[in-house]
């Protein structure tokens, strides 16, 4: 039993009781997996593959062939550079908005100067980090020994695609992918005071009690202020573009084009008006007024006049140009309502005029307009009847200018008031708030680099699966992170960082676009509260996508994290420490996974659901997972196995993380691979341990250790090995010094 494949690679065999488990090492060619047409793209993203070939016996004494592959990704450095560039752009824009707040009283002006000093220093720091990263041309790997380096703190640790391709004599070939990466955490900044989960909560509590010198705005309000500012910056140029198109249609005297242009202008303007209905803008305007020299708020003595509510039928509404905020007069709290409502009124005047122009044009083409009744009907509504073919441009141009003037007034006031909200957020937390932003940016950058890598790999391995593509644009993808961190000492802080970083991935959406050149690397747009990752596909593959995806529909991901500490530090935490952090994280993320499953069952087509349920008992797996989380059993690795199984059956993206993605991660992914071979591909029961030892001793993961620490030894000592659950211990002779 056990002939070895022919080839030019080295051969290693494990002989136990006269039977052989064969391994062929050193395969150089990467595995396309999803088809050769995807290889050029994948080769542009994946680098330095390590491949191993195995042959293991099945339960009926036939052979299965396994190809194991581990690849670095150039996205390890590309994504952080993209993200830091966006941070710099966003922060420079915010700093400029703070400078344009106008005249403030001495107290607020001194606060602004202090804030700008610190913010400028942060921008300079980000620029220096980007400069250093830009020198890393062609880099695709950050080793575990570099996790504490300042210039590399935005780069994920030891990010790899771990792939297993199974050629089975009984079943169709199958592909199993796991992204392995060090836990997203701010290693350079350290964990003396905990991680983001604790630090953010403590910071918010302290900020609420900052005293009289600041105005407290909740995190929800500051996030809303950033959202409205972002909407302003996006919608204002779009409205200007559609206004120009409307005038162009008017100059061409084209009714159909005029209607289409008006429809687009109306939609964008209505979104613009809706953005300012929030009470936050009104309260921020009042707060800013009181911060001006001599500002004293007073209720206006009389309501707005009815004349302001009406719009002349064929003329632009009057627009009163005033200072953006009244400085030395009584503040009219209702004036803002009149100002932003004037945008809607101006739009209504444009709509009325377009309707009348098109109606009169149709009437003139129909030969009507000479009867006395017609003259009597037309004259009180429209004095312009002498010319059968009117100059539409001249009629609409004043109304468009009026709309733009009203918008300019609204934008000026709203931008200043919302910038004042951001000033409060920054001033109340100096310098801790900015340092927390830096820490969160660092952790998020590491998490996002892994997510983008996982999404692209999953997309390219599933492009020919119609069910997956429908799921992608209907309910999105679940992204499951397996954490192996302990709840003891520094790893508590790492887990707190990781939990926030993975949760922040909810702010990310993907959009698939057609590649127009050989540059297929993804592009990131957006701001801290919302990012869009544009993934490029060659034209041939892009055309095969469902219409909603081709048309630019945003594709969402649903990240969940389940953590089970397995080392000797977790033993101490279980017996003498606190495991509530792990329990809370697992329970919170189970609820998220359950919500995704409910949406999946509700929105996916019935025929797909029925086929899906025949293959997968997902409901039973979810119930089992919930029971294991509630059991609060020590080192309950069943949680890991169940979560991973559910993720695979839901077409999700799998991650496995420990501190460095080197030792505990290697034990976990090799155990997962062999368990899949046993449960899904009939690996002979007598060869389970032998296959596990074979992969750990000679497979890709020992090569991962070598590239990280320059030796072929897993960093475990005897105390750690004694603490590990069953099947998480490496074979004799493959472990040595303590973990780094």
């Amino acid at each position: 039993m056990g002939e070895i494949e022919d080839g030019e690679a080295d051969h290693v065999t494990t002989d136990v009781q006269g039977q052989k488990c064969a391994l062929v090492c050193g395969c150089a060619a990467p595995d396309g997996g999803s088809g050769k047409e995807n290889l050029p793209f994948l080769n542009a993203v994946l680098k330095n593959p390590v491949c191993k070939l195995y042959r293991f016996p099945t339960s009926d004494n036939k052979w299965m062939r396994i190809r194991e592959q581990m690849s670095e990704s150039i996205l390890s450095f590309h994504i952080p550079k993209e993200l830091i560039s966006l941070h710099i752009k966003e922060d420079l824009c915010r700093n400029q908005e703070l400078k344009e707040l106008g005249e403030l009283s001495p107290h607020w002006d001194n606060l602004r100067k202090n804030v700008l000093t610190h913010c400028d220093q942060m921008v300079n720091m980000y620029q220096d980090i980007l400069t250093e990263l830009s020198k890393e041309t062609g880099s695709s790997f950050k080793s575990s020994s570099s996790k504490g380096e300042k210039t590399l703190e935005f780069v994920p640790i030891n990010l790899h695609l771990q792939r297993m391709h199974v050629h089975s004599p009984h079943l169709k070939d199958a592909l199993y992918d796991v992204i392995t990466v060090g836990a997203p955490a701010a290693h350079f900044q350290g964990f003396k005071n905990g991680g983001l989960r604790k630090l953010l909560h403590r910071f918010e509590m302290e900020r609420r009690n900052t005293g009289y010198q600041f105005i407290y705005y909740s995190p929800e309000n500051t996030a809303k202020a950033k959202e409205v500012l972002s909407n302003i910056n996006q919608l204002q140029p779009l409205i200007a573009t559609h206004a120009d198109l409307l005038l162009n249609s008017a100059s061409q005297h084209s009714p159909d084009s005029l209607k289409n242009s008006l429809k687009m202008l109306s939609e964008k303007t209505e979104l613009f008006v809706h953005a300012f209905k929030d009470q936050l803008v009104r309260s921020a305007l009042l707060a800013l007024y009181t911060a001006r020299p001599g500002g004293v708020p007073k209720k206006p003595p009389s309501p707005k006049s009815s004349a302001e509510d009406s719009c002349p039928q064929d003329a632009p509404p009057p627009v009163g140009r005033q200072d953006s905020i009244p400085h030395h007069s009584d503040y009219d709290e209702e004036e803002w309502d009149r100002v932003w409502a004037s945008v809607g009124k101006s739009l209504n005047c444009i709509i009325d005029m377009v309707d009348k122009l098109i109606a009169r044009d149709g009437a003139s083409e129909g030969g009507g307009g000479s009867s006395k009744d017609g003259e009597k009907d037309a004259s009180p509504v429209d004095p312009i009847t002498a010319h059968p073919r009117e100059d539409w441009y001249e009629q609409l141009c004043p109304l468009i200018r009026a709309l733009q003037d009203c918008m300019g007034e609204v934008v000026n006031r709203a931008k200043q008031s919302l910038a004042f909200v951001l000033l409060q957020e920054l001033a109340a937390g100096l310098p801790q708030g900015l340092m927390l932003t830096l820490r969160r940016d660092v952790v998020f950058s590491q998490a996002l680099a892994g997510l983008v890598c996982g999404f692209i790999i999953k997309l390219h391995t599933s492009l020919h699966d119609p069910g997956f593509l429908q799921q992608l644009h209907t309910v999105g993808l679940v992204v499951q992170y397996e954490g192996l961190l302990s709840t003891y000492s520094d790893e508590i802080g790492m887990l707190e960082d990781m939990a926030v970083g993975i949760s922040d991935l909810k702010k990310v959406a993907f959009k698939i676009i057609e590649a127009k050149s050989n540059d297929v690397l993804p592009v990131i747009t957006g701001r801290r509260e919302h990012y869009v990752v544009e993934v490029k596909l060659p034209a041939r593959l892009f055309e095969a996508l469902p219409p909603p995806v081709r048309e630019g529909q945003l594709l969402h991901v649903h990240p969940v994290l389940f953590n089970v500490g397995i080392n000797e530090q977790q033993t101490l935490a279980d017996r003498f420490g606190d495991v509530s952090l792990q329990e809370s994280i697992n329970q919170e993320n189970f609820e998220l996974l359950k919500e995704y499953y409910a949406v999946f069952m509700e929105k996916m087509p019935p025929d797909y659901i029925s086929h899906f349920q025949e293959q997968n008992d997902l409901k039973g797996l979810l119930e089992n997972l919930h029971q294991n989380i509630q059991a609060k059993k020590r080192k309950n690795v069943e949680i890991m196995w169940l979560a991973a199984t559910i993720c695979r059956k839901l077409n999700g993206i799998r991650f496995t993380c420990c501190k460095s993605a080197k030792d505990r991660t290697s034990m976990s992914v090799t155990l997962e691979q062999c368990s899949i071979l046993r449960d899904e591909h009939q690996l002979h029961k007598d060869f389970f341990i032998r296959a596990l030892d074979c992969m750990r001793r000679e497979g890709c993961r020992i090569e991962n250790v070598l590239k990280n620490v320059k030796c072929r030894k897993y960093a475990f000592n005897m105390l750690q090995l004694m603490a590990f659950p069953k099947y998480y211990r490496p074979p004799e002779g493959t472990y040595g010094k303590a973990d780094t």
Side-chain angles (χ1 to χ4, degrees):
M1 185 180 190
E3 291 192 10
I4 301 173
E5 294 181 5
D6 292 332
E8 297 181 357
D10 297 330
H11 297 78
V12 179
T13 61
T14 305
D15 193 345
V16 182
Q17 297 179 353
Q19 292 180 320
K20 292 184 178 181
C21 176
L23 163 71
V24 183
C25 300
C27 174
D31 187 6
S34 61
K36 293 184 177 180
E37 68 271 21
N38 293 347
L39 275 177
F41 175 87
L42 293 180
N43 289 340
V45 174
L46 300 177
K47 299 292 181 184
N48 302 326
V50 174
C51 301
K52 305 288 182 177
L53 299 179
Y54 310 89
R55 289 203 306 172
F56 297 137
T58 61
S59 56
D60 58 355
N61 295 328
K62 294 183 179 178
W63 289 97
M64 70 172 79
R65 292 182 296 123
I66 297 95
R67 183 188 189 104
E68 184 186 32
Q69 178 181 328
M70 181 183 70
S71 301
E72 302 168 7
S73 174
I74 198 169
L75 300 177
S76 290
F77 283 78
H78 173 74
I79 296 300
K81 286 189 280 190
E82 286 269 307
L83 207 51
I84 294 171
S85 297
L86 282 180
H87 292 332
I88 293 171
K89 180 180 177 182
E90 180 182 350
D91 290 349
L92 286 173
C93 181
R94 178 203 58 204
N95 293 356
Q96 186 61 33
E97 288 167 350
L98 292 176
K99 292 173 185 176
E100 293 174 355
L101 268 174
E103 187 180 3
L104 298 175
S105 64
H107 167 73
W108 294 109
D109 194 46
N110 289 333
L111 282 177
R112 173 170 58 177
K113 290 176 182 177
N114 190 29
V115 165
L116 284 171
T117 298
H118 283 85
C119 288
D120 288 340
Q121 291 172 353
M122 289 295 293
V123 169
N124 291 337
M125 182 192 303
Y126 279 61
Q127 289 172 332
D128 291 342
I129 292 173
L130 182 60
T131 299
E132 291 301 314
L133 283 181
S134 298
K135 296 176 183 177
E136 303 281 347
T137 54
S139 298
S140 56
F141 169 68
K142 172 184 168 182
S143 70
S144 63
S145 58
S146 302
K147 61 176 169 280
E149 292 186 18
K150 168 70 175 173
T151 57
L152 298 178
E153 62 178 338
F154 283 81
V155 180
I157 301 165
N158 194 16
L159 174 64
H160 285 84
L161 164 67
Q162 176 80 20
R163 167 168 287 182
M164 180 174 71
H165 198 165
V166 183
H167 305 268
S168 171
H170 303 286
L171 304 170
K172 188 168 80 170
D173 285 4
L175 200 65
Y176 302 92
D177 288 343
V178 180
I179 305 297
T180 62
V181 63
H187 292 275
F188 174 78
Q189 298 178 40
F191 308 98
K192 181 179 179 181
N193 298 312
L196 278 170
R197 190 168 163 124
K198 179 189 293 181
L199 293 171
L200 288 170
H201 177 73
R202 183 188 302 160
F203 175 74
E204 184 57 30
M205 292 300 101
E206 292 174 353
R207 199 164 72 88
R208 292 189 181 195
N209 303 311
T210 49
Y212 71 92
Q213 67 267 42
F214 308 112
I215 301 171
Y216 174 76
Y217 288 98
S218 68
E220 293 78 17
N221 277 335
T222 53
K224 181 69 176 178
K226 294 173 185 176
E227 179 186 353
V228 175
L229 280 170
S230 177
N231 289 339
I232 292 172
N233 293 330
Q234 290 178 10
L235 289 172
Q236 191 179 16
L238 285 175
I239 292 172
T241 299
H242 291 305
D244 290 340
L245 291 173
L246 182 70
L247 290 176
N248 185 53
S249 300
S251 65
Q252 296 175 0
H253 212 88
S254 169
D256 290 339
S257 178
L258 196 66
K259 288 179 184 177
N260 292 333
S261 299
L262 178 63
K263 181 175 180 291
M264 297 302 298
L265 177 64
S266 299
E267 289 176 357
K268 299 304 179 185
T269 306
E270 285 168 7
L271 289 174
F272 180 86
V273 172
H274 182 74
F276 299 109
K277 287 185 177 180
D278 198 280
Q279 177 65 29
L280 174 64
V281 181
R282 183 183 291 103
S283 64
L285 277 166
L286 177 58
L288 177 57
Y289 171 70
T290 62
R292 301 289 191 195
V296 179
K298 278 191 180 181
K299 185 77 175 176
S302 61
K304 55 188 176 182
S305 66
S306 59
E308 289 175 310
D309 286 335
S310 62
C311 175
Q313 293 173 350
D314 290 319
V319 180
R321 301 289 295 175
Q322 304 175 23
D323 293 339
S324 60
I325 296 291
H327 291 269
H328 299 286
S329 59
D330 293 346
Y331 177 58
D332 182 349
E333 293 184 53
E334 294 182 358
E335 183 185 7
W336 169 246
D337 291 336
R338 295 194 294 272
V339 171
W340 71 259
S342 66
V343 176
K345 294 174 186 175
S346 298
L347 176 64
N348 289 336
C349 290
I350 293 171
I351 293 172
D352 289 343
M353 177 58 74
V354 169
D355 289 343
K356 290 171 186 174
L357 291 174
I358 293 176
R360 289 202 296 265
D361 186 70
S364 64
E365 288 182 0
S370 61
S371 69
K372 291 182 180 180
D373 291 339
E375 291 174 7
K376 189 177 291 187
D377 290 340
S379 57
V381 177
D382 187 3
I384 310 172
T385 58
H387 305 286
R389 189 171 179 84
E390 301 170 275
D391 189 336
W392 288 2
Y393 183 92
E394 288 185 2
Q395 298 297 314
L396 286 172
C397 189
L399 300 179
I400 293 293
R401 288 202 189 106
L403 174 66
Q404 292 171 335
D405 286 344
C406 292
M407 284 184 52
E409 181 77 6
V410 169
V411 167
N412 194 21
R413 292 179 181 230
K415 272 192 167 184
Q416 289 192 341
S417 67
L418 295 172
F420 189 68
V421 174
L422 301 187
L423 175 63
Q424 309 309 308
E425 178 196 36
L426 293 164
L430 287 178
Q432 296 90 342
L434 289 176
M435 294 309 298
L436 274 177
T437 298
L438 170 63
R439 187 183 192 102
R440 199 166 188 170
D441 288 346
V442 165
V443 174
F444 180 74
S445 173
Q446 296 176 26
L448 182 62
L451 174 64
V452 176
C453 178
F455 182 89
I456 289 175
I457 299 302
K458 185 66 179 179
L459 177 66
H460 277 264
T461 54
S462 307
L463 272 173
H464 302 296
D465 180 355
F468 167 82
L469 294 176
Q470 187 168 16
Q471 178 183 349
L472 179 63
H473 72 81
T474 304
V475 295
L477 296 183
V478 67
V479 184
Q480 183 253 329
Y481 289 81
E482 172 184 315
L484 300 167
L485 295 172
S486 68
T487 54
Y488 188 83
S489 189
D490 280 358
E491 291 198 7
I492 295 179
M494 294 178 206
L495 182 55
E496 289 172 341
D497 275 356
M498 183 180 180
V500 173
I502 290 172
S503 178
D504 281 348
L505 294 176
K506 297 175 197 171
K507 301 182 292 189
V508 179
F510 288 84
K511 184 167 138 182
I512 302 177
I513 62 175
E514 183 179 348
K516 301 297 184 182
S517 66
N518 292 329
D519 180 11
V520 294
L521 292 178
V523 176
I524 307 176
T525 59
R527 55 188 174 83
R528 282 185 177 88
E529 302 302 321
H530 178 65
Y531 292 102
V532 175
V533 181
E534 295 182 347
V535 176
K536 303 173 185 176
L537 279 185
R540 182 184 66 262
L541 299 176
F542 182 79
E543 289 302 320
L545 294 173
V549 180
R550 292 201 309 270
E551 292 164 7
Q553 178 180 323
L554 294 183
L555 312 172
H556 297 280
V557 292
H558 304 268
V560 292
L561 165 64
F562 294 95
N563 187 85
V564 176
I566 62 172
N567 64 2
E568 83 289 356
Q569 290 188 327
Q570 189 60 44
T571 302
L572 294 174
D574 287 338
R575 293 183 179 178
F576 310 112
D578 182 5
V579 296
S580 60
L581 173 64
Q582 176 174 284
E583 291 173 353
S584 297
I585 288 172
N586 289 345
Q587 183 59 47
E588 291 165 10
N589 285 272
F590 172 77
E591 296 300 327
L592 294 175
L593 183 59
K594 189 168 71 170
E595 287 175 15
Y596 175 82
Y597 171 74
V599 174
F600 178 91
M601 298 300 289
E602 175 190 347
K603 292 191 175 181
M604 290 300 288
D607 56 339
Y608 184 75
I609 292 292
S610 60
H611 170 74
F612 202 84
Q613 288 175 320
E614 288 174 8
Q615 305 297 321
N616 309 308
D617 182 19
L618 279 170
K619 186 176 180 181
L621 288 169
L622 277 167
E623 290 173 353
N624 197 357
L625 176 60
H626 185 241
Q627 290 169 3
N628 275 275
I629 291 172
Q630 293 295 311
K632 298 182 180 180
K633 176 183 172 184
R634 293 177 181 176
K635 298 186 181 180
N636 188 359
V637 293
E638 187 72 10
I639 292 173
M640 301 285 90
W641 177 244
L642 287 167
T645 303
I646 292 169
C647 175
R648 284 196 302 272
K649 291 182 180 298
L650 282 171
N651 289 324
I653 305 171
R654 280 270 299 115
F655 282 79
T656 298
C657 311
C658 63
K659 181 167 69 174
S660 300
K662 176 170 58 71
D663 305 304
R664 281 170 282 179
T665 294
S666 294
M667 298 302 102
S668 180
V669 296
T670 49
L671 176 58
E672 181 177 354
Q673 288 178 170
C674 289
S675 297
I676 289 171
L677 294 177
R678 178 194 62 199
D679 299 340
E680 305 291 339
H681 297 278
Q682 302 178 20
L683 174 67
H684 196 292
K685 63 180 182 179
D686 293 338
F687 281 82
F688 178 79
I689 297 298
R690 306 175 202 182
L692 192 58
D693 285 352
C694 186
M695 285 185 174
R696 289 172 175 174
R697 187 187 300 275
E698 305 292 346
C700 291
R701 297 315 299 185
I702 198 69
E703 302 294 336
N704 182 273
V705 173
L706 178 63
K707 72 194 296 187
N708 274 281
V709 294
K710 311 304 180 188
C711 73
R712 298 175 66 88
K713 297 277 187 182
Y714 297 108
F716 299 132
N717 55 39
M718 287 304 299
L719 180 62
Q720 289 173 314
L721 294 179
M722 291 171 62
F724 279 161
K726 189 178 181 182
Y727 301 132
Y728 279 82
R729 298 163 191 163
E732 289 290 334
T734 62
Y735 53 86
K737 61 182 180 178
D739 195 0
T740 57

